[in-house]
Amino acid sequence: MFSLSLFNDILRPFNTTYRCWSVSMLPGSEREDVERGGKIIMPPSALDTLTRLNINYPMLFKLTNRRSNRQTHCGVLEFIADEDKIYIPYWMMKNLLLDEGDMVQVESVSLEVATFSKFQPQNSEFLDITNPKAVLENCLRNFACLTTGDVIAIKYNQKIYEMCVLETKPGNAVSIIECDMNVEFAAPVGYQEPNHEKTTATEDMMVDPADLMPEPTGFVAFKGSGNRLDGKKKKDNTDDPLNQIKPAYQRGIPDYNYTIGTIQFLRNIRPVINDKENENKDEFKPFAGSGSVLKTKAKKK
């Protein structure tokens, strides 16, 4: 006689249609653990059917909206929903373009283990997180699988961040349960590189110590105004900072314009002299000309 146990080894998929509702419609207390993850709640009859079928574990399902031809993948968290109903996260309903009470097809699937995934934040505020990779890794513990093209929602510091799954390997849908997966981030939507003005270090550090000296008081030599002999008006160049005589810097004089809480470093930076340019220029040398004698000496006979 042939054993009937041979027919039990044949994989028979689970394929049923349910009415879907968001987690907020679930009776009882609020279930934040379902809303911030990638798992759904199914009725107890689904568990009875799954135990009689020879399916692969862990239990993974494909959700399909036939009207919009949209699909995603998920895991199951509990079997406590009312009959003919399932409760799914709100971000999953947005990806499937579902409304409250719409029909969705639930089919059991077997997915490959993930090796690589790439995410794109939908807001540049995600860059404010100190260690985004560690935050994402911690949030993905509530997910069972990822689907390329989905926009998942993660919660961190009482704030919701949306992440678009740009790429997954080795397939468009992968399982992330007990896997070693490499994660990459793309630039957030609307992100622009900041424009930093480039300034040389010497300009930022150059400070003239004479500028820190207090204004001289009392008698100051050559500070008066002059008059021209021809009667013409003299050009007023007193506002020119190059013509102003600065006092010599003396150590030990306090800075009366000091601001509390600031530190100012003084560095005497000598300008770099290019020797090659100076070689080509004719430097002025005083008393370097040749002289002539006006009185000629008489010749001796």
Side-chain angles (χ1 to χ4, degrees):
M1 296 180 64
F2 295 98
S3 177
L4 297 178
S5 61
L6 296 176
F7 295 96
N8 293 332
D9 296 335
I10 302 176
L11 295 178
R12 290 180 293 172
F14 175 84
N15 194 342
T16 312
T17 302
Y18 294 98
R19 290 193 178 273
C20 71
W21 303 86
S22 61
V23 180
S24 59
M25 304 296 292
L26 182 65
S29 58
E30 186 177 359
R31 298 292 301 272
E32 293 185 359
D33 56 338
V34 184
E35 190 64 50
R36 63 176 181 230
K39 299 178 182 180
I40 64 175
I41 296 179
M42 302 179 67
S45 60
L47 179 60
D48 296 337
T49 306
L50 289 169
T51 54
R52 292 194 298 267
L53 298 175
N54 187 18
I55 63 173
N56 294 329
Y57 290 88
M59 295 182 184
L60 301 177
F61 301 94
K62 180 174 70 173
L63 306 183
T64 306
N65 183 4
R66 294 182 177 179
R67 292 187 306 174
S68 60
N69 197 20
R70 300 288 293 270
Q71 63 182 17
T72 186
H73 298 79
C74 64
V76 59
L77 185 62
E78 294 177 357
F79 295 90
I80 60 173
D82 297 335
E83 292 300 326
D84 299 330
K85 294 182 181 179
I86 61 171
Y87 296 92
I88 66 177
Y90 181 70
W91 65 264
M92 198 175 294
M93 294 187 65
K94 290 173 61 179
N95 290 333
L96 295 174
L97 303 179
L98 292 172
D99 294 329
E100 300 287 349
D102 286 350
M103 302 299 294
V104 61
Q105 182 180 358
V106 181
E107 181 181 358
S108 62
V109 292
S110 178
L111 302 178
E112 296 180 295
V113 178
T115 59
F116 172 82
S117 61
K118 187 174 183 180
F119 298 89
Q120 182 184 29
Q122 299 300 291
N123 195 331
S124 58
E125 294 181 356
F126 186 74
L127 301 178
D128 298 336
I129 300 177
T130 304
N131 192 348
K133 196 170 184 179
V135 172
L136 180 62
E137 180 182 355
N138 186 38
C139 295
L140 288 181
R141 295 177 181 176
N142 299 322
F143 289 75
C145 48
L146 294 174
T147 306
T148 302
D150 279 359
V151 179
I152 65 175
I154 62 175
K155 187 176 183 179
Y156 177 71
N157 281 349
Q158 304 301 322
K159 193 169 185 179
I160 303 298
Y161 298 94
E162 292 185 343
M163 310 285 293
C164 180
V165 184
L166 296 181
E167 184 181 0
T168 56
K169 292 181 181 180
N172 292 331
V174 291
S175 171
I176 59 173
I177 300 177
E178 297 181 357
C179 68
D180 186 8
M181 180 177 62
N182 296 325
V183 177
E184 288 186 3
F185 290 100
V189 176
Y191 173 74
Q192 295 180 356
E193 289 288 343
N195 296 326
H196 298 287
E197 296 181 358
K198 297 182 179 180
T199 57
T200 59
T202 56
E203 294 179 358
D204 297 337
M205 298 169 57
M206 186 176 297
V207 176
D208 190 359
D211 295 336
L212 304 178
M213 294 293 295
E215 294 183 0
T217 58
F219 173 75
V220 179
F222 305 104
K223 196 177 181 181
S225 58
N227 297 321
R228 295 173 58 99
L229 297 178
D230 55 3
K232 294 182 179 179
K233 293 184 179 181
K234 180 178 175 294
K235 294 182 180 179
D236 190 6
N237 293 331
T238 57
D239 296 336
D240 191 357
L242 298 178
N243 296 333
Q244 295 179 359
I245 301 175
K246 297 182 180 180
Y249 176 72
Q250 298 178 5
R251 299 186 61 181
I253 298 179
D255 183 10
Y256 297 102
N257 297 326
Y258 170 73
T259 304
I260 299 177
T262 60
I263 300 177
Q264 190 172 17
F265 298 94
L266 302 180
R267 295 180 175 87
N268 294 328
I269 301 176
R270 298 179 179 178
V272 180
I273 300 175
N274 193 348
D275 296 336
K276 294 182 179 180
E277 294 181 358
N278 293 334
E279 291 178 358
N280 299 330
K281 294 181 179 179
D282 295 334
E283 295 183 355
F284 171 74
K285 295 181 180 180
F287 307 105
S290 60
S292 301
V293 180
L294 297 179
K295 184 179 179 181
T296 57
K297 294 183 179 180
K299 295 182 180 180
K300 295 181 178 182
K301 294 181 180 180

